[in-house]
Amino acid sequence: MRVLVTGGAGFIGGHVVEQLVANGADVVVVDSLTAHNGPPDYLPPAAELRVADLTDERAVQQAVDGVDAVCHQAARVGLGVDFDDVTGYVRDNDAGTATLLRALWRRSFTGRIVVASSMVVYGEGRYRCASHGMAQAQPRTVEDLGAGRFEPRCRRCHSVLAWTQVDEDVPLDPRNVYAATKVHTEHLAFLYGRETGAPVCALRYHNVYGPRMPRDTPYAGVASIFRSAYEAGLAPRVFEDGGQMRDFVHVHDVARANLAALESSWVGACNVASGEPHSVLEMAAALGAGFRGPVPAPVVTGEFRLGDVRHVVAAPDRAAQALGFRAEVSFGEGMAAFAHAPLRA
């Protein structure tokens, strides 16, 4: 099977490519390498690398020729700096996906398509009020966050809501630019599937971490930012009160989920998560414990970003049923290893 992996030199894409090649697939990678100084040394020699931006119509049209399946990982990720990033996100994520799908359309492609999505499409997770049952969390305000009121409250009785697992059938509610582009990526891909009959699966990654994660930039994940702080001998700065609940899933498991999705006929969205929720402060502490020798304790700062959400904890059941996927790397094992794993400059 010949598989096109967009963004195949990136953090997640590189691990997908490694596992595909190890399983005997013929892999072609399209990556702009804008985040690299030349081709990364971890790309398997057997993978065919085409250096091109995903909005380069000619290069993408050539890359899709002869492929049996597509694994679309290329994207600008993270919360970014501020709204000034909007055009970059839309160009890379929306226009890049559109260019890829049009190239597939012109080839009359009806093979398997797996697209990388994200938990951010949910906005806030699911919540329950002790008095009124399931309740939707309202968008948080600067006034509440500045006053340290981080927990969502019931709009009817104003009591603090309790988080519950979020499944794939809840309404999508993107609350930052990156999230909006990921929703659009899903919509475009599923529209392509309906028009052509191509089976499309969107994998909604939760907080992915692991070796070769990008270092601390505004586009990096929180685990990478904390890891870089520890390496510099600094205390990680934990925003809000550190009680934000997340599902941290290892990149090796995420790559396995992609292979499972490529081999499956499932059409629809699946959470890719560990099923083992932890708070951001717990993650910082577990990561620090993995370092050899003493490190500074995490500092809870009360800082906040309006585009962040409070709690997002995934229900992993659909991926288990539809794809046969369950995460294998435990939180403790993964964080201990991540403390010493190589990061990407």
Side-chain angles (χ1 to χ4, degrees):
M1 179 171 69
R2 184 168 173 83
V3 183
L4 168 63
V5 182
T6 69
F11 169 44
I12 296 173
H15 287 279
V16 172
V17 169
E18 282 183 332
Q19 291 194 20
L20 282 169
V21 170
N23 282 13
D26 179 17
V27 180
V28 56
V29 171
V30 172
D31 198 296
S32 66
L33 297 185
T34 53
H36 305 269
N37 294 317
D41 57 10
Y42 53 74
L43 267 184
E48 176 188 342
L49 173 62
R50 299 185 178 215
V51 180
D53 192 281
L54 206 58
T55 58
D56 183 336
E57 295 191 21
R58 182 178 179 183
V60 174
Q61 195 69 60
Q62 292 173 343
V64 303
D65 187 43
V67 302
D68 304 298
V70 175
C71 188
H72 178 32
Q73 303 294 317
R76 182 184 293 234
V77 301
L79 192 59
V81 177
D82 53 35
F83 198 83
D84 196 60
D85 282 333
V86 63
T87 53
Y89 276 101
V90 170
R91 175 188 177 276
D92 291 348
N93 299 357
D94 294 351
T97 298
T99 302
L100 170 65
L101 294 173
R102 185 164 68 168
L104 294 172
W105 171 265
R106 290 177 172 177
R107 219 210 85 188
S108 301
F109 178 83
T110 58
R112 183 66 160 159
I113 301 175
V114 175
V115 298
S117 186
S118 170
M119 67 171 191
V120 297
V121 300
Y122 298 124
E124 286 285 350
R126 297 186 76 192
Y127 292 89
R128 180 180 295 278
C129 173
S131 301
H132 299 105
M134 297 305 298
Q136 184 178 15
Q138 300 304 298
R140 300 196 292 173
T141 67
V142 171
E143 291 75 20
D144 280 344
L145 295 170
R149 296 188 293 267
F150 303 123
E151 295 290 351
R153 293 180 177 271
C154 177
R155 72 166 81 185
R156 296 171 65 184
C157 67
H158 304 293
S159 62
V160 171
L161 299 173
W163 63 264
T164 64
Q165 287 187 330
V166 59
D167 63 34
E168 294 85 350
D169 295 327
V170 304
L172 304 186
D173 183 21
R175 299 196 177 187
N176 58 58
V177 170
Y178 170 57
T181 64
K182 277 302 179 183
V183 170
H184 200 205
T185 292
E186 286 195 21
H187 286 172
L188 289 173
F190 286 129
L191 283 169
Y192 180 89
R194 284 194 287 273
E195 289 279 343
T196 64
V200 177
C201 178
L203 299 180
R204 293 174 180 166
Y205 304 154
H206 285 251
N207 288 69
V208 186
Y209 72 98
R212 305 200 301 259
M213 196 174 187
R215 288 188 180 274
D216 53 339
T217 76
Y219 308 94
V222 66
S224 174
I225 293 170
F226 288 176
R227 158 71 191 273
S228 296
Y230 279 129
E231 280 192 322
L234 303 174
R237 297 178 63 83
V238 180
F239 281 15
E240 300 184 19
D241 60 1
Q244 308 94 306
M245 296 300 294
R246 296 290 188 269
D247 187 304
F248 297 94
V249 58
H250 198 276
V251 69
H252 290 166
D253 283 327
V254 174
R256 287 180 48 247
N258 275 274
L259 267 65
L262 285 166
E263 294 168 359
S264 167
S265 59
W266 169 260
V267 173
C270 286
N271 287 327
V272 176
S274 69
E276 189 181 351
H278 291 273
S279 73
V280 172
L281 184 57
E282 286 175 327
M283 184 275 288
L287 182 58
F291 277 79
R292 301 182 182 96
V295 294
V299 174
V300 177
T301 68
E303 295 172 88
F304 60 88
R305 298 185 298 181
L306 188 60
D308 279 334
V309 297
R310 182 60 177 174
H311 305 299
V312 185
V313 175
D317 306 310
R318 180 176 292 177
Q321 295 163 3
L323 309 179
F325 167 77
R326 286 196 183 276
E328 295 178 350
V329 181
S330 71
F331 178 77
E333 172 193 0
M335 286 296 164
F338 183 54
H340 309 285
L343 297 182
R344 191 180 79 210

